[in-house]
Amino acid sequence: MQPAVVNFSAKPRSVELRDVPDATIGEDDVLFEVAAVGVCGSDLHMWTGDQSWKVEYPMVLGHEFAGVIRQVGKRVRGWKEGDRVVSETHAVINPDSPLTRQGLYNLDPGRKGFGAAISGAMTRRVCVPARILHRVPDHVSFEQASLTEPCCVAYNAVVMNSVIRPGDRLLVLGPGPIGVLCAVIAKLNGAQVALAGLERDLPRLNIAKQYGVETIVGDATSWCKHAPGTDGFGVEGVIDATGVSIALKTALDLVRPNGWITKVGWGPQPVNFSLDPLVQKNVRLQGSFSHNWPIWERIIALMASGQLDVTPIIGGVWPLEKWHDAFETMHSGKIVKAVLKPGMEAAGVTI
Ligand SMILES: [Zn+2]
């Protein structure tokens, strides 16, 4: 048996540390020892019981993980014991789906993700199919590598699903981990970026500032429409990384005619406003979900070259036993990202 952070029912706060059976592997899998696993905004939603996606119970949480291969299955080629790796979240896919054949296995309705449909990584050892492994260079720490997944979400939203030209003005709504990382990636892409949040988001906004991102508390109208050198029509692009549907209305108000909005934040509420401005302004509205193999390789390359340094995003590292402190601290908005280290002795937090 091994300790794991388990979400055991749909009721709010139904998460606890439980002993679960040891992982066993099949011929195409590796036994993955988790060195670091990030807490995702989605883990917090499952903890507070207000997620808008389906979860199987009981479920070991965790899908942002880095570590070491401890055993390889009989048919696995190209990987060996001791390799430093990260894993994609796509635990089960349908290899015969036309989407999979296009490389879009992440969008196939048959896909099952770690920590929501398949037992996740907030534990010591996990079974991972070799097809979703990526190599982590020695000089990238496990803590950094555990942020690959949210970086891939941001890269897909900002780079693959949006068009940014150097100098474009871009507003990101919502300073959760995905919002902050979208702002950081958009800076890499040459945009002028502002990240907007509420008063309680100040600590997270201040972390984004370290990346040269401008920050806004409350109304973003003046940055979008009245800043010196702008023409009053609004920004080229808006990324909605909030978890509330009404943010789309703000995005429609602040985007310029012929601009674009990319929505990466989920929100269960129906929209109760007119989408006519979308038509009148000739605006492109794009959803963005998940990521696939080439995006993972690219994020690791950006981390390896030093172009993407996620260290300031990591607000603290806790042992698995202290998962509750990690979740609470991240939920309070004091930090952007909490990381759990299952191999760490139960002691205080290190930052
Ligand atoms: Zn995540």
Side-chain angles (χ1 to χ4, degrees):
M1 301 292 272
Q2 56 178 353
V5 179
V6 178
N7 185 189
F8 54 88
S9 95
K11 284 213 206 96
R13 312 273 161 164
S14 296
V15 173
E16 65 183 15
L17 199 70
R18 282 188 180 179
D19 274 336
V20 300
D22 290 330
T24 52
I25 61 166
E27 292 187 337
D28 297 312
D29 308 320
V30 304
L31 188 63
F32 189 122
E33 184 170 308
V34 182
V37 48
V39 179
C40 180
S42 67
D43 295 320
L44 299 181
H45 282 298
M46 288 184 271
W47 173 52
T48 50
D50 58 359
Q51 82 280 358
S52 49
W53 54 91
K54 200 174 163 291
V55 183
E56 313 273 340
Y57 302 103
M59 180 55 55
V60 177
L61 296 177
H63 58 267
E64 305 179 357
F65 56 115
V68 178
I69 294 177
R70 289 301 175 210
Q71 193 189 330
V72 294
K74 240 194 267 163
R75 293 213 305 242
V76 172
R77 298 284 173 266
W79 300 101
K80 59 177 193 315
E81 222 183 297
D83 282 349
R84 304 173 84 244
V85 281
V86 276
S87 167
E88 294 179 27
T89 52
H90 320 293
V92 173
I93 60 165
N94 173 5
D96 301 320
S97 162
L99 286 165
T100 302
R101 291 180 181 190
Q102 284 178 280
L104 297 174
Y105 50 86
N106 53 315
L107 302 182
D108 188 81
R111 165 205 176 265
K112 289 187 160 91
F114 282 118
I118 299 287
S119 191
M122 289 187 182
T123 188
R124 300 245 162 95
R125 291 180 175 209
V126 202
C127 163
V128 173
R131 72 178 153 78
I132 47 172
L133 293 172
H134 297 265
R135 212 168 289 282
V136 176
D138 286 344
H139 65 281
V140 176
S141 72
F142 289 123
E143 289 91 333
Q144 290 172 302
S146 72
L147 266 69
T148 308
E149 196 270 344
C151 289
C152 289
V153 171
Y155 191 96
N156 197 26
V158 171
V159 181
M160 309 304 284
N161 284 321
S162 308
V163 176
I164 297 176
R165 297 178 182 92
D168 280 353
R169 286 173 78 80
L170 175 66
L171 175 68
V172 181
L173 299 171
I178 298 301
V180 170
L181 289 168
C182 282
V184 169
I185 303 265
K187 281 299 287 184
L188 278 178
N189 238 15
Q192 302 178 57
V193 186
L195 176 63
L198 307 171
E199 194 77 39
R200 70 177 285 267
D201 299 316
L202 268 171
R204 300 190 290 188
L205 291 170
N206 285 334
I207 288 160
K209 258 190 197 155
Q210 297 179 40
Y211 291 90
V213 171
E214 295 181 62
T215 58
I216 298 165
V217 172
D219 189 1
T221 308
S222 70
W223 189 86
C224 294
K225 296 195 173 171
H226 310 305
T230 58
D231 60 11
F233 286 112
V235 289
E236 277 80 15
V238 181
I239 303 267
D240 175 5
T242 69
V244 286
S245 302
I246 193 72
L248 185 59
K249 188 168 189 306
T250 306
L252 281 169
D253 287 344
L254 298 177
V255 70
R256 66 190 291 113
N258 203 34
W260 53 267
I261 298 167
T262 296
K263 184 164 161 54
V264 63
W266 297 63
Q269 318 85 2
V271 292
N272 65 347
F273 53 89
S274 170
L275 290 176
D276 281 352
L278 186 81
V279 180
Q280 188 178 33
K281 291 168 99 172
N282 199 119
V283 164
R284 292 171 297 287
L285 176 61
Q286 169 80 46
S288 185
F289 176 66
S290 187
H291 32 64
N292 60 0
W293 196 89
I295 299 176
W296 280 75
E297 287 294 301
R298 177 55 56 91
I299 289 295
I300 294 166
L302 286 169
M303 284 183 177
S305 70
Q307 285 168 283
L308 175 60
D309 179 9
V310 294
T311 315
I313 312 273
I314 303 171
V317 178
W318 284 261
L320 199 65
E321 293 72 19
K322 302 268 180 163
W323 69 271
H324 191 260
D325 293 349
F327 277 42
E328 283 283 8
T329 308
M330 190 166 147
H331 193 246
S332 73
K334 280 196 228 102
I335 62 169
V336 179
K337 176 64 76 179
V339 172
L340 301 176
K341 296 200 77 173
M344 191 170 158
E345 294 298 314
V349 56
T350 51
I351 296 179

